[in-house]
Amino acid sequence: ASAASEVVEVQGGEIRVVTVANGLVHPWSIAILPDARTLLVAERPGRLRIIRNGTLDPEPIWNAPPAGDTVELKWVALHPRFAESSLVYVSYPKSGERGTTLAIARGRFDGRKLVDVREIFAADAWETGGNMGGKILFGPDETLYVTVGDRDRLCCIGTDDNSLRMKAQDLGNHVGKTLRLRDDGTVPADNPFVGRAGAKPEVFTYWHRNGYGLAFHPDTGEL
């Protein structure tokens, strides 16, 4: 850990940049615990790390399960009532007979480790490659919003085959969608496509590419 800081000039003013901790490998996302001094950090190589008062614990508090030959961790998020529930959510790739997809698990932080971790949702976005998104964020309504990528593994190599990317327009799968779930991974009854024939009830919005960010307007609550 380091208390060193530097002032960086930006358009319209200055910001102060402070090193919080050293030794992380490809940190992908951060969740700040209610005490504001403890941070959970998801490292892309599959490790969930903890920083306490500026010191990185040398041992992970949880490791993502392998997906084929790789291990990867994407986003970490806290339950809206974390102070009461101690629940932590993570997203990561999952492998199966049809390739890989995005999975979400939740566990309980006991102060030292993430325990009682179990998968609560796996997207219907199975493919053998391509981006799977994976951003997770709780909204003001305490439901969990999830981005799933378009899984297009051919978009950057000069091909005209858009058949996979076109799945983002099909409500019958989770490819290229933003999903909305209850905190246990089930479907909220007021999701926009609940009850529509041929539509996945988890879908909140569709026709996306690879969502890496979600935010809620602080005044209107709009996503």
Side-chain angles (χ1 to χ4, degrees), residues 23-25 39-52 55-65 71 73 90 108-115 117:
L24 291 162
V25 178
L39 288 73
L40 302 183
V41 183
E43 290 183 311
R44 188 173 180 179
R47 298 177 293 268
L48 186 61
R49 309 292 299 275
I50 188 167
I51 299 171
R52 304 177 194 266
T55 300
L56 175 66
D57 193 301
E59 295 297 325
I61 67 169
W62 182 74
N63 292 282
V71 180
L73 184 57
V90 288
R108 181 176 53 84
F109 180 57
D110 68 359
R112 295 181 59 255
K113 297 286 185 180
L114 194 64
V115 299
V117 181

Side-chain angles (χ1 to χ4, degrees), residues 58-80:
E59 295 297 325
I61 67 169
W62 182 74
N63 292 282
D69 296 330
T70 63
V71 180
E72 188 175 348
L73 184 57
K74 292 187 173 292
W75 268 271
V76 56
L78 304 181
H79 191 278

Side-chain angles (χ1 to χ4, degrees), residues 154 158-163:
L154 302 174
T159 178
D160 292 326
D161 181 5
N162 290 319
S163 59

Side-chain angles (χ1 to χ4, degrees), residues 78-154:
L78 304 181
H79 191 278
R81 295 190 298 275
F82 174 83
E84 305 162 21
S85 69
S86 300
L87 291 176
V88 176
Y89 292 71
V90 288
S91 62
Y92 53 87
K94 174 184 180 176
S95 61
E97 294 181 356
R98 293 184 288 162
T100 60
T101 191
L102 180 75
I104 298 171
R106 74 174 182 183
R108 181 176 53 84
F109 180 57
D110 68 359
R112 295 181 59 255
K113 297 286 185 180
L114 194 64
V115 299
D116 303 328
V117 181
R118 68 178 185 89
E119 180 185 303
I120 62 169
F121 179 77
D124 182 12
W126 297 94
E127 269 301 329
T128 56
N131 194 291
M132 61 178 65
K135 171 67 178 179
I136 55 176
L137 179 69
F138 276 96
D141 58 359
E142 298 191 358
T143 61
L144 183 64
Y145 293 80
V146 182
T147 67
V148 183
D150 68 4
R151 305 308 315 272
D152 190 350
R153 59 193 180 278
L154 302 174

Side-chain angles (χ1 to χ4, degrees), residues 89 104 120-123 136-139 141-146 174 178-188 191 201-204:
Y89 292 71
I104 298 171
I120 62 169
F121 179 77
I136 55 176
L137 179 69
F138 276 96
D141 58 359
E142 298 191 358
T143 61
L144 183 64
Y145 293 80
V146 182
H174 293 140
T178 299
L179 313 180
R180 179 173 177 258
L181 309 172
R182 291 195 182 104
D183 63 358
D184 62 357
T186 58
V187 179
N191 268 5
E202 299 86 359
V203 174
F204 186 69

